[in-house]
């Protein structure tokens, strides 16, 4: 059975299971491991073309929930190719569920159970490292700053999930998903740290970020505190997430992180 995975973490899981021979293509969010870049790219997971996906002759399609557009997914569901949509929960258990479901789809349940146990242990250890920290940092995840408008991550997002796992507090959790913030909302959020993805679209320099007047007046702005991490690594919720939690926690809390 040959699969085209849609969603970077699925591709990572397939490689972590040692089942990459099943892969005939990937979407553009699948950039790890490097070997995956040799696979044909069928486009961005939220802007798929059914023709593009079916042109690689998959005998099965593994897609993350949230792949789209809806019309494209409807066409793929109606095609003769089995279409498996995997849930995406930005939690510790969500990662383990995804690993088990990919294993089930590929018929390697025992391998998936072993990988899930290993990832579970890693996540538990990473979460424990910040358990004793009393003063939690408030973090504003900024997706983009186009035209001076700050697009930030609320609850029910990968950014919110990773911030919690690393022992931080999402500075804006009153809304769900991604939203443009008013100047007032940014000031009220009082972030200690700005978190951003690097290598996702045009780079925003520190000067550009902190010249935004509302950000400049926050604790993060006054201290010029920004953390940048690779998007797939930070927000993937896959086999590398325990390491990402650790790296983010160390960037936030330094020596307070206990091994």
């Amino acid at each position: 059975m040959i699969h085209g995975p849609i969603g970077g973490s699925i591709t990572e899981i397939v490689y972590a299971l040692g089942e990459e021979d099943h892969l005939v293509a990937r979407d553009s969010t699948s950039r790890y491991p490097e070997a995956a870049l040799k696979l044909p790219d069928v486009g961005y997971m939220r802007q798929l073309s059914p023709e593009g996906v079916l042109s690689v002759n998959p005998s099965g399609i593994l897609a993350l929930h949230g792949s789209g557009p809806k019309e494209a997914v409807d066409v793929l569901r109606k095609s003769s190719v089995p279409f498996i949509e995997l849930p995406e929960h930005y939690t510790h258990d969500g990662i383990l569920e995804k690993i088990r479901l990919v294993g089930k789809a590929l018929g390697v349940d025992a391998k998936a159970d072993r990988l899930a146990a290993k990832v579970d242990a890693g996540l538990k250890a990473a979460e424990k490292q910040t358990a004793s920290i009393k003063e939690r940092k408030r973090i504003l995840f900024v997706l983009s700053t186009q035209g001076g408008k700050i697009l930030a991550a609320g609850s029910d997002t990968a950014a919110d999930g990773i911030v919690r796992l690393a022992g931080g507090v999402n500075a804006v959790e009153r809304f769900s998903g991604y939203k443009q913030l008013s100047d007032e909302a940014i000031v009220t959020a009082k972030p200690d740290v700005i978190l951003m993805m690097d290598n996702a679209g045009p780079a925003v320099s520190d000067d550009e970020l902190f010249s935004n007047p509302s950000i400049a007046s926050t604790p993060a702005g006054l201290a010029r505190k920004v953390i940048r991490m690779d998007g797939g690594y930070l927000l993937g919720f896959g086999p590398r997430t325990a390491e990402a939690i650790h790296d983010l926690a160390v960037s936030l809390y330094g020596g307070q992180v206990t091994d």
Side-chain angles (χ1 to χ4, degrees):
M1 188 165 182
I2 307 171
H3 288 74
I6 315 273
S9 60
I10 301 181
T11 304
E12 283 195 37
I13 291 167
V14 173
Y15 275 89
L17 290 168
E19 295 294 320
E20 60 272 18
D21 292 353
H22 286 287
L23 300 176
V24 291
R26 64 180 179 94
D27 76 307
S28 58
T29 66
S30 300
R31 307 189 57 78
Y32 184 90
E34 209 170 297
L37 296 173
K38 296 193 180 80
L39 293 165
D41 181 348
V42 296
Y44 176 52
M45 66 174 274
R46 297 188 199 283
Q47 296 164 352
L48 299 171
S49 108
E51 303 75 32
V53 174
L54 296 171
S55 70
V56 295
N57 294 323
S59 57
I61 299 164
L62 280 175
L64 265 185
H65 180 73
S67 299
K70 188 182 171 301
E71 305 75 44
V73 170
D74 288 345
V75 171
L76 292 170
R77 282 185 191 282
K78 291 191 179 100
S79 74
S80 57
V81 179
F83 183 92
I84 299 169
E85 189 175 49
L86 301 174
E88 179 77 296
H89 302 297
Y90 304 115
T91 59
H92 179 140
D93 289 338
I95 298 171
L96 306 183
E97 178 189 27
K98 206 159 38 168
I99 290 170
R100 291 198 182 99
L101 289 171
V102 171
K104 190 176 172 191
L106 296 176
V108 289
D109 288 337
K111 268 187 177 178
D113 284 342
R114 283 197 297 277
L115 178 61
K118 184 178 145 197
V119 169
D120 182 37
L123 289 167
K124 281 186 177 133
E127 289 166 66
K128 214 164 86 184
Q129 291 178 323
T130 55
S132 62
I133 291 170
K134 299 282 180 285
E135 286 191 27
R136 305 271 157 170
K137 297 261 165 98
R138 295 176 62 77
I139 300 162
L140 181 66
F141 179 87
V142 174
L143 188 64
S144 69
T145 59
Q146 278 168 333
K149 301 265 190 276
I150 301 294
L151 188 62
S155 59
D156 305 314
T157 58
D160 180 79
I162 201 78
V163 161
R164 287 166 189 270
L165 288 170
V169 174
N170 184 353
V172 287
E173 46 194 7
R174 292 181 305 283
F175 60 86
S176 173
Y178 290 88
K179 193 173 166 184
Q180 268 188 7
L181 296 186
S182 67
D183 294 349
E184 189 188 3
I186 293 169
V187 173
T188 311
K190 295 193 184 67
D192 299 304
V193 179
I194 307 291
L195 178 60
M196 296 188 81
M197 293 190 284
D198 53 21
N199 67 25
V204 179
S205 70
D206 287 12
D207 287 343
E208 194 183 335
L209 178 67
F210 294 120
S211 68
N212 179 299
S214 49
I215 284 187
S217 67
T218 65
L222 295 168
R224 286 179 74 93
K225 181 73 176 150
V226 59
I227 295 170
R228 290 179 164 78
M229 286 173 70
D230 174 77
Y233 179 57
L234 179 68
L235 305 178
F237 280 79
R240 294 184 294 159
T241 297
E243 288 92 334
I245 293 169
H246 172 79
D247 290 357
L248 179 55
V250 169
S251 298
L252 290 172
Y253 299 113
Q256 290 178 272
V257 175
T258 55
D259 281 331

